[in-house]
Amino acid sequence: DQQVKQNSPSLSVQEGRISILNCDYTNSMFDYFLWYKKYPAEGPTFLISISSIKDKNEDGRFTVFLNKSAKHLSLHIVPSQPGDSAVYFCAASGSSGGGADGLTFGKGTHLIIQP
Amino acid sequence: DSGVTQTPKHLITATGQRVTLRCSPRSGDLSVYWYQQSLDQGLQFLIQYYNGEERAKGNILERFSAQQFPDLHSELNLSSLELGDSALYFCASSPRGGWDIQYFGAGTRLSVL
């Protein structure tokens, strides 16, 4: 049973526009969420995170929104740039600031930024 | 460069064999995590070590084992290999655990023929 779902395997967006990547989760014990970006032949690279006590976190062009009641989070990239083309993974953790847990990952969304 | 080093980059072996994957964490990080990425399953958490001790277990098969050494590097041992074990194996490290960000290595691609 997939506890973290990214329902769009791929997404194509024009350069300069907003990219919105979505993620749903089913486990109500998750309290920390992260987005990772992955280029071919490299490991995932941390992008941005959010804890369950917040509903928004912003870092430059990247903003993550968390809707706990809907068990949904989204990553907004504004404006989208060609270097943003990559696979984006949503990940979740049940650790509460000191617990021990591996991350549960979605299967990823391949974002393609069109010139 | 994440600072996490994994060797080897590629490994080709036969069914029934045993292999060892190695991971050196970022300087100062005490936690090491292992993940498996196969085509149909995505990234799956296998196991976490913290300062030499096993801390959390995920979907790790009994044929797989890991350890973390006093210098904090970690090894993942895969034995009695099957075709289905072909995957990318990633190591990640973090300062402690919990809400710490995990930094990933570039992975080891294992092909079992």
Side-chain angles (χ1 to χ4, degrees):
Chain A
D1 178 33
Q2 244 193 305
Q3 297 186 67
V4 176
K5 296 179 188 178
Q6 294 177 256
N7 291 320
S8 300
S10 67
L11 176 66
S12 184
V13 174
Q14 261 196 313
E15 182 178 355
R17 306 292 288 265
I18 183 171
S19 295
I20 300 176
L21 294 95
N22 293 303
C23 177
D24 298 295
Y25 62 96
T26 57
N27 189 338
S28 55
M29 297 301 291
F30 288 146
D31 59 5
Y32 186 51
F33 304 89
L34 307 91
W35 285 93
Y36 281 83
K37 172 175 162 178
K38 186 180 182 304
Y39 293 118
E42 294 183 11
T45 302
F46 171 75
L47 208 50
I48 193 169
S49 64
I50 188 167
S51 71
S52 58
I53 60 174
K54 292 185 170 184
D55 53 19
K56 177 182 172 181
N57 189 26
E58 199 169 346
D59 183 1
R61 296 186 299 114
F62 303 93
T63 303
V64 56
F65 295 91
L66 175 62
N67 181 335
K68 288 188 290 294
S69 59
K71 294 192 176 70
H72 177 83
L73 61 154
S74 61
L75 174 68
H76 292 210
I77 306 173
V78 184
S80 300
Q81 298 174 353
D84 296 331
S85 295
V87 177
Y88 289 77
F89 290 97
C90 171
S93 170
S95 304
S96 295
D101 214 348
L103 296 174
T104 301
F105 280 84
K107 292 194 175 182
T109 296
H110 186 192
L111 176 64
I112 301 159
I113 305 301
Q114 306 277 9
Chain B
D1 182 5
S2 67
V4 178
T5 304
Q6 288 188 248
T7 55
K9 286 194 183 334
H10 302 278
L11 202 45
I12 302 173
T13 188
T15 54
Q17 295 298 304
R18 173 190 163 97
V19 297
T20 298
L21 313 184
R22 183 187 167 104
C23 170
S24 294
R26 293 186 326 154
S27 176
D29 284 358
L30 298 178
S31 265
V32 169
Y33 309 78
W34 286 97
Y35 291 85
Q36 178 192 56
Q37 184 183 24
S38 52
L39 274 173
D40 56 343
Q41 292 294 326
L43 270 153
Q44 301 270 312
F45 168 64
L46 296 178
I47 196 164
Q48 176 197 7
Y49 276 79
Y50 175 78
N51 204 20
E53 302 283 330
E54 181 185 303
R55 185 142 178 198
K57 251 182 175 175
N59 300 320
I60 189 165
L61 298 172
E62 283 191 16
R63 299 183 286 109
F64 296 0
S65 65
Q67 58 185 133
Q68 186 179 27
F69 294 86
D71 67 352
L72 300 176
H73 91 270
S74 178
E75 291 180 357
L76 179 67
N77 300 297
L78 315 176
S79 61
S80 302
L81 284 168
E82 301 175 359
L83 295 176
D85 297 327
S86 295
L88 263 171
Y89 290 85
F90 288 104
C91 168
S93 75
S94 71
R96 295 167 303 276
W99 285 6
D100 283 349
I101 295 164
Q102 295 180 28
Y103 295 89
F104 284 75
T108 293
R109 180 172 292 282
L110 174 67
S111 299
V112 182
L113 305 179

